[in-house]
Amino acid sequence: IWNQELKKAKRKLKSANKVSIIENKIKKIPILKLKQPKKAWYQSYRWFFTYPQNLLVVAGTSAKTNEELVKKHLENNDLYFHGDFHGASSVILKTEGQTPSPSSLEQAGSFAVCCSSSWKSNITGRPYFVNKKQVSKTAESGEYLSQGSFMVRGKRNYLRDQLLILGVAITDSNRLTVGPIS
């Protein structure tokens, strides 16, 4: 009996040594880390590209990101979209020096309404757009602007009421995005 037990123990020890050798070899194999493509600045927000003009539209996701978006990324030729209702998101149409087509304006306006509290309440809204110089963080005398809020001065360019419809798409760079169906 002792002889059989000894042989059995030697076999187990031999198997354990083989496993240990294999584990050590595996540990020495370098692990390859796949590099994720670098995130573009706008991918920290809600975004899409208009069709067919291919202009970038970016929306804030909260009061904090609305503030950040306007202060950091609203440039002179860009258009600022918003709605005349509580909970409207700040949306920027990056014109890249082009004159936006009516289709691009409608798509950005639709996005402004869909990215607002209108989405939750299922009530359509009417967006407007203005130039950068009309958007300010300075309130009127005696007034206060909370985080993510801006004062819009001058004439507003109103668009028609927008439907609360969004589509999902995969971009050329294999990124998922959401935007107006058109």
Side-chain angles (χ1 to χ4, degrees):
I1 293 180
W2 280 99
N3 203 13
Q4 288 177 347
E5 293 286 327
L6 185 60
K7 284 181 182 179
K8 196 175 188 181
K10 283 182 180 179
R11 277 195 305 261
K12 285 185 178 181
L13 183 61
K14 198 174 183 180
S15 292
N17 284 338
K18 285 181 183 176
V19 169
S20 178
I21 291 168
I22 291 170
E23 284 177 349
N24 285 337
K25 286 182 179 179
I26 288 173
K27 286 178 186 174
K28 291 178 184 176
I29 296 173
I31 297 173
L32 299 176
K33 291 185 179 180
L34 297 176
K35 288 188 177 182
Q36 292 288 329
K38 188 176 177 186
K39 235 176 149 175
W41 69 266
Y42 56 85
Q43 291 172 333
S44 298
Y45 306 96
R46 294 182 182 123
W47 59 275
F48 76 97
F49 288 92
T50 63
Y51 181 81
Q53 209 170 6
N54 205 35
L55 298 176
L56 176 63
V57 178
V58 188
T61 59
S62 66
K64 181 181 176 185
T65 59
N66 282 344
E67 184 101 13
E68 183 181 284
L69 181 66
V70 173
K71 284 185 173 180
K72 286 185 179 179
H73 303 291
L74 182 62
E75 297 173 338
N76 287 333
N77 293 327
D78 298 340
L79 296 176
Y80 174 81
F81 286 76
H82 199 60
D84 267 341
F85 47 88
H86 180 69
S89 183
S90 289
V91 176
I92 296 174
L93 174 62
K94 304 294 282 178
T95 63
E96 305 299 330
Q98 297 180 46
T99 301
S101 67
S103 171
S104 291
L105 295 174
E106 288 290 325
Q107 290 170 36
S110 176
F111 200 56
V113 172
C114 289
C115 292
S116 71
S117 60
S118 291
W119 185 266
K120 292 177 191 168
S121 61
N122 201 23
I123 298 171
T124 188
R126 192 168 180 215
Y128 65 85
F129 65 92
V130 294
N131 296 316
K132 179 193 180 200
K133 62 185 174 199
Q134 293 176 260
V135 180
S136 171
K137 191 64 184 169
T138 308
E140 298 294 332
S141 179
E143 290 184 15
Y144 166 78
L145 290 175
S146 60
Q147 184 179 35
S149 299
F150 295 92
M151 184 64 66
V152 175
R153 294 182 171 85
K155 182 180 182 278
R156 299 173 183 193
N157 301 291
Y158 283 92
L159 301 169
R160 60 186 169 91
D161 281 0
Q162 300 296 312
L163 298 175
L164 297 172
I165 300 174
L166 291 174
V168 179
I170 298 174
T171 65
D172 295 341
S173 57
N174 290 326
R175 299 250 186 227
L176 193 64
T177 188
V178 176
I181 295 290
S182 59

